[in-house]
């Protein structure tokens, strides 16, 4: 897939964002809006984070996005029953008219992000309209699909980015001057505000600009793949032709890119280090986490580098043996892909050296929080593999070439909080 092909496809049919009647918590029926929100389902550290969120409020959105029960079918049934009950009790109510939603996040350091939430037409990668940049894990898609089928809802928006020309941004900025539908500050210090856009002229301005653009999936590859699967299961036209997204114009509001770390269950650090002896340079760092991450950042400038943790210290792996890389990394991929840390981790270390299946939750977990990854490795006797983030330009260029990165290679943010607005397919 080439860039020219993408441009032609986008010119024919670009991003198609449609209004919907948002499903939102009634603030009079819950403890606080902050207490019912959650990070996206794949950011919550399980089970610790799930239990923390459940105890924050009996109506926390985590009970829908990460239901707890003995079997997969029981979990999805529980989520569907919970959603029905909350609708019947008025915990969640639908807005009176369809609209798009302007969503804003701020942190305490001057960062501000604004974007538009709506129901986006689901498209296939060959159309070049929505560009994935990471591989996916089929079991995760199957899990999310079962949850969406049972609840008949898009429970949380995925995050897409595009490079706008300012038309939609003008509506977004103007809308953000009005009093919001909701405003809350979550325990991480982020302030969240939400507005509805229901004026036909304003919605048309946003839709007209998006119709000439393509988007990069910043966060939510598995949910986008789920949207595509569910659309294929239902004859068109149907509500499944669209999926809930947040679109952020990164020409106006650049995203941050962070790494996603790995926790290897059942592999003690000593065994991990023994297996790489002679294949990577290994240096022990008796330093705090922040310092160790600085050393990792410096080493990453010169080539592939990783930090191992879990035994009370940090161990820097760098300077992999060129012969090892030549034997283990597919030669038929672009050079930018072959040199990625995530490629070397998956193709060389996980597959060849440590023999760990990358899609088995029993063997590996993917965790966004650095300190939490280290703490869990130390507590469980496993190995934390800490990564250095990839630059956004590399991600975008590979996506434009139609090349997907190894799964869980990047973490774009800030991510939208789950629980502020949902989409029920039959409302």
């Amino acid at each position: 897939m080439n860039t020219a092909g993408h441009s032609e496809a986008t010119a024919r049919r670009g991003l198609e964002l449609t209004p919907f009647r948002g499903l939102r918590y009634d603030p009079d029926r819950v403890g606080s809006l902050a207490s019912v929100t959650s990070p996206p389902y794949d950011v919550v550290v399980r089970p610790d984070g799930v239990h923390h969120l459940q105890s924050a409020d009996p109506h926390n959105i985590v009970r829908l996005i990460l239901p707890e029960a003995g079997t997969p079918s029981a979990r999805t049934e529980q989520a569907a029953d919970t959603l029905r009950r909350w609708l019947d009790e008025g915990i969640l109510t639908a807005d009176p008219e369809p609209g798009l939603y302007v969503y804003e996040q701020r942190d305490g350091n001057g960062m501000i992000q604004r974007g538009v939430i709506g129901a986006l037409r689901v498209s296939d990668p060959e159309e070049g309209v929505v560009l994935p940049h990471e591989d996916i894990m089929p079991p995760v898609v199957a899990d999310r699909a079962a949850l969406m089928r049972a609840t008949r809802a898009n429970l949380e928006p995925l995050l897409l980015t595009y490079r706008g020309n300012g038309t939609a941004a003008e509506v977004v900025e103007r809308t953000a001057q009005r009093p919001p539908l909701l405003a809350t500050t979550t325990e991480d210090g982020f302030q969240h505000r939400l507005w509805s856009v229901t004026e036909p002229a304003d919605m048309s301005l946003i839709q007209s600009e998006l119709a000439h653009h393509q988007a990069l999936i910043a966060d939510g590859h598995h949910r986008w793949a789920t949207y595509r699967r569910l659309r294929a299961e239902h004859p068109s036209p149907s509500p499944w032709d669209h999926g809930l997204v947040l679109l952020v114009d990164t020409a106006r509001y650049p995203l941050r890119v962070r790494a996603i770390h790995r926790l290897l269950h059942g592999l003690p650090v000593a065994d991990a280090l023994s297996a790489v002896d002679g294949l990577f340079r290994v240096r022990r760092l008796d330093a705090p986490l922040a310092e160790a991450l600085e050393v990792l950042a410096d080493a990453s400038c010169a080539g592939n580098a990783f930090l191992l943790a879990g035994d009370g210290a940090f161990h820097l792996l760098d300077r992999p043996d060129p012969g090892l890389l030549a034997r283990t990394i597919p030669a038929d991929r672009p050079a930018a892909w072959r040199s990625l840390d995530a490629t070397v981790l998956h193709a060389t270390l996980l597959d060849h050296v440590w023999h760990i299946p990358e899609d088995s939750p029993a063997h590996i977990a993917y965790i966004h929080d650095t300190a939490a990854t280290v703490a869990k490795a130390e507590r469980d006797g496993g190995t934390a593999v800490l990564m250095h983030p990839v630059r956004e330009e590399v991600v975008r260029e590979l996506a434009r070439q139609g090349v997907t990165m190894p799964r869980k290679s990047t973490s774009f943010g800030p991510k939208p909080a789950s629980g502020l607005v949902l989409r029920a397919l039959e409302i």
Side-chain angles (χ1 to χ4, degrees), residues 130-183:
V130 175
L131 308 179
H133 71 265
E134 284 186 358
D135 291 332
I136 56 169
M137 293 175 273
V140 177
V141 176
D143 174 73
R144 292 294 101 184
L147 184 63
M148 287 190 211
R149 277 192 213 100
T151 58
R152 298 193 64 77
N154 301 151
L155 300 172
E156 46 185 350
L158 51 88
L159 175 61
L160 304 182
T161 73
Y162 71 103
R163 307 285 292 178
N165 61 23
T167 306
E170 186 262 322
V171 178
V172 167
E173 305 304 322
R174 180 157 35 83
T175 302
Q177 304 312 309
R178 304 196 325 244
L181 287 176
L182 66 84

Side-chain angles (χ1 to χ4, degrees), residues 98-360:
L100 302 176
Y101 294 83
V102 169
Y103 174 54
E104 175 191 276
Q105 294 190 78
R106 294 174 182 259
D107 67 6
N109 303 312
M111 185 286 305
I112 178 171
Q113 177 204 83
R114 288 178 181 145
V116 179
I117 295 175
L120 185 69
R121 180 181 71 88
V122 178
S123 58
D124 294 321
E126 54 269 22
E127 291 185 53
V129 176
V130 175
L131 308 179
H133 71 265
E134 284 186 358
D135 291 332
I136 56 169
M137 293 175 273
V140 177
V141 176
D143 174 73
R144 292 294 101 184
L147 184 63
M148 287 190 211
R149 277 192 213 100
T151 58
R152 298 193 64 77
N154 301 151
L155 300 172
E156 46 185 350
L158 51 88
L159 175 61
L160 304 182
T161 73
Y162 71 103
R163 307 285 292 178
N165 61 23
T167 306
E170 186 262 322
V171 178
V172 167
E173 305 304 322
R174 180 157 35 83
T175 302
Q177 304 312 309
R178 304 196 325 244
L181 287 176
L182 66 84
T184 190
T185 301
T186 44
E187 64 178 6
D188 57 8
F190 274 77
Q191 299 171 20
H192 307 263
R193 296 198 295 170
L194 190 77
W195 297 261
S196 62
V197 179
T198 55
E199 285 293 328
D202 285 341
M203 288 193 287
S204 180
L205 283 171
I206 293 172
Q207 291 167 324
S208 297
E209 180 185 341
L210 292 174
H212 296 93
H213 289 285
Q214 60 185 183
L216 175 74
I217 301 176
D219 185 68
H221 283 81
H222 291 91
R223 281 168 285 165
W224 184 254
T226 301
Y227 291 168
R228 291 179 53 227
R229 173 183 289 194
L230 294 171
R231 181 199 59 175
E233 292 176 1
H234 297 83
S236 186
S238 85
W240 300 99
D241 292 342
H242 294 79
L244 187 63
V245 305
L246 165 65
L247 276 157
V248 173
D249 179 356
T250 51
R252 184 69 64 98
Y253 299 107
L255 297 188
R256 296 186 306 229
V257 189
R258 292 178 172 162
I260 301 176
H261 309 296
R262 276 65 170 161
L263 175 62
L264 310 181
H265 306 300
L267 179 67
V269 175
D271 293 351
L273 292 172
S274 175
V276 299
D277 186 37
L279 302 175
F280 283 72
R281 182 175 71 168
V282 180
R283 286 181 284 163
R284 180 186 172 100
L285 308 176
D286 289 303
L289 176 58
E291 246 178 73
L293 290 173
E294 287 178 11
V295 175
L296 173 63
D298 290 342
S300 294
C301 293
N304 301 117
F306 311 91
L307 268 184
L308 303 193
D311 62 351
F314 296 99
H315 308 269
L316 180 70
L317 272 59
D318 66 353
R319 299 186 185 177
D321 173 55
L324 172 70
L325 299 184
R327 291 194 307 275
T328 56
I329 295 177
D332 59 347
R333 307 296 291 274
W337 181 89
R338 295 199 306 272
S339 62
L340 289 169
D341 286 340
T343 298
V344 174
L345 173 62
H346 285 257
T348 303
L349 284 169
L350 292 180
D351 190 33
H352 181 81
V353 177
W354 293 327
H355 307 293
I356 292 175
E358 60 186 79
D359 57 356
S360 168

